[in-house]
Protein backbone atom coordinates (compact mmCIF):
# COMPACT_ATOMS: atom_id res chain seq x y z
CA UNK A 1 0.00 0.00 0.00
CA UNK A 2 1.50 3.34 -0.95
CA UNK A 3 2.11 5.77 1.87
CA UNK A 4 1.66 9.45 1.48
CA UNK A 5 0.29 12.69 2.72
CA UNK A 6 -0.27 16.31 1.88
CA UNK A 7 0.33 19.80 3.21
CA UNK A 8 -1.90 22.77 2.49
CA UNK A 9 0.09 25.94 1.84
CA UNK A 10 -0.95 29.45 2.96
CA UNK A 11 -1.78 30.43 -0.64
CA UNK A 12 -4.39 27.66 -0.90
CA UNK A 13 -2.36 25.22 -3.01
CA UNK A 14 -1.19 21.84 -1.74
CA UNK A 15 1.95 19.72 -1.87
CA UNK A 16 1.29 15.98 -2.07
CA UNK A 17 3.99 13.43 -1.26
CA UNK A 18 3.31 9.79 -2.10
CA UNK A 19 5.43 6.64 -2.26
CA UNK A 20 4.60 4.32 -5.16
CA UNK A 21 6.13 1.16 -6.63
CA UNK A 22 8.93 2.01 -9.04
CA UNK A 23 8.02 1.89 -12.75
CA UNK A 24 11.32 0.04 -13.28
CA UNK A 25 10.13 -2.79 -11.03
CA UNK A 26 12.35 -4.77 -8.71
CA UNK A 27 10.27 -4.12 -5.60
CA UNK A 28 11.70 -0.62 -5.08
CA UNK A 29 9.57 2.38 -4.21
CA UNK A 30 9.71 5.93 -5.53
CA UNK A 31 8.69 9.05 -3.61
CA UNK A 32 6.80 11.60 -5.72
CA UNK A 33 6.20 15.24 -4.83
CA UNK A 34 3.45 17.16 -6.60
CA UNK A 35 2.52 20.83 -6.26
CA UNK A 36 -1.02 21.60 -7.45
CA UNK A 37 -4.08 23.73 -6.74
CA UNK A 38 -5.74 20.91 -4.77
CA UNK A 39 -5.29 17.22 -3.90
CA UNK A 40 -7.46 15.99 -6.74
CA UNK A 41 -5.39 17.84 -9.34
CA UNK A 42 -2.15 16.57 -7.80
CA UNK A 43 -3.34 12.97 -8.07
CA UNK A 44 -4.55 13.60 -11.63
CA UNK A 45 -1.05 14.75 -12.58
CA UNK A 46 0.32 11.42 -11.32
CA UNK A 47 -2.39 9.46 -13.13
CA UNK A 48 -1.47 11.26 -16.35
CA UNK A 49 2.06 9.87 -15.95
CA UNK A 50 0.69 6.34 -16.08
CA UNK A 51 0.08 5.61 -12.40
CA UNK A 52 -3.59 4.80 -12.86
CA UNK A 53 -4.53 3.51 -9.41
CA UNK A 54 -3.18 6.36 -7.28
CA UNK A 55 -5.24 7.25 -4.23
CA UNK A 56 -4.34 9.23 -1.13
CA UNK A 57 -5.97 7.81 1.96
CA UNK A 58 -5.15 9.75 5.08
CA UNK A 59 -2.12 11.82 5.91
CA UNK A 60 0.30 9.24 7.34
CA UNK A 61 3.48 10.48 5.56
CA UNK A 62 3.12 14.22 4.83
CA UNK A 63 5.89 16.03 2.97
CA UNK A 64 8.76 17.33 5.06
CA UNK A 65 9.72 21.02 4.95
CA UNK A 66 12.73 20.12 2.76
CA UNK A 67 10.47 18.29 0.30
CA UNK A 68 8.06 21.23 0.17
CA UNK A 69 10.94 23.60 -0.58
CA UNK A 70 12.27 21.31 -3.31
CA UNK A 71 8.95 21.07 -5.17
CA UNK A 72 8.14 24.77 -4.82
CA UNK A 73 11.46 25.76 -6.37
CA UNK A 74 11.08 23.46 -9.37
CA UNK A 75 9.33 24.88 -12.45
CA UNK A 76 7.35 21.68 -13.19
CA UNK A 77 6.19 21.13 -9.61
CA UNK A 78 6.52 17.35 -10.04
CA UNK A 79 9.60 15.58 -8.67
CA UNK A 80 10.68 12.04 -7.71
CA UNK A 81 13.55 10.10 -6.18
CA UNK A 82 14.07 6.54 -4.96
CA UNK A 83 12.60 6.10 -1.49
CA UNK A 84 15.45 4.00 -0.06
CA UNK A 85 18.14 6.65 -0.66
CA UNK A 86 16.16 9.49 0.88
CA UNK A 87 19.20 11.51 1.93
CA UNK A 88 21.75 10.51 -0.69
CA UNK A 89 20.14 11.21 -4.04
CA UNK A 90 18.85 14.48 -5.45
CA UNK A 91 15.32 15.03 -6.73
CA UNK A 92 14.64 14.41 -10.43
CA UNK A 93 11.94 15.94 -12.64
CA UNK A 94 9.16 13.55 -13.61
CA UNK A 95 9.97 13.79 -17.31
CA UNK A 96 13.38 12.18 -16.55
CA UNK A 97 11.55 9.11 -15.24
CA UNK A 98 9.61 8.72 -18.47
CA UNK A 99 12.52 9.43 -20.82
CA UNK A 100 13.94 6.31 -22.51
CA UNK A 101 17.42 5.30 -21.44
CA UNK A 102 20.25 6.49 -23.66
CA UNK A 103 22.43 3.84 -25.27
CA UNK A 104 25.93 3.60 -23.78
Amino acid sequence: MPGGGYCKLPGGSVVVAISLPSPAGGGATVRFLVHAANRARALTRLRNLGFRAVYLRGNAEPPTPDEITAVLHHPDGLLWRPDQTAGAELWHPARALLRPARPA
Side-chain angles (χ1 to χ4, degrees), residues 1-101:
M1 183 77 170
Y6 67 96
C7 180
K8 190 164 179 118
L9 301 176
S13 61
V14 297
V15 174
V16 172
I18 191 163
S19 297
L20 299 170
S22 175
T29 58
V30 176
R31 180 100 163 153
F32 282 92
L33 298 177
V34 184
H35 180 234
N38 56 42
R39 286 186 302 169
R41 286 189 183 184
L43 296 176
T44 298
R45 291 185 72 187
L46 285 173
R47 289 182 187 121
N48 289 341
L49 290 175
F51 297 101
R52 295 292 178 213
V54 175
Y55 297 99
L56 185 61
R57 293 185 182 13
N59 200 13
E61 297 176 22
T64 65
D66 290 338
E67 291 176 334
I68 293 171
T69 301
V71 76
L72 289 178
H73 284 89
H74 193 272
D76 291 343
L78 184 55
L79 303 172
W80 70 276
R81 77 174 168 195
D83 212 6
Q84 288 81 7
T85 60
E89 192 168 342
L90 297 176
W91 291 98
H92 306 283
R95 60 186 154 202
L97 184 66
L98 303 174
R99 191 177 320 151

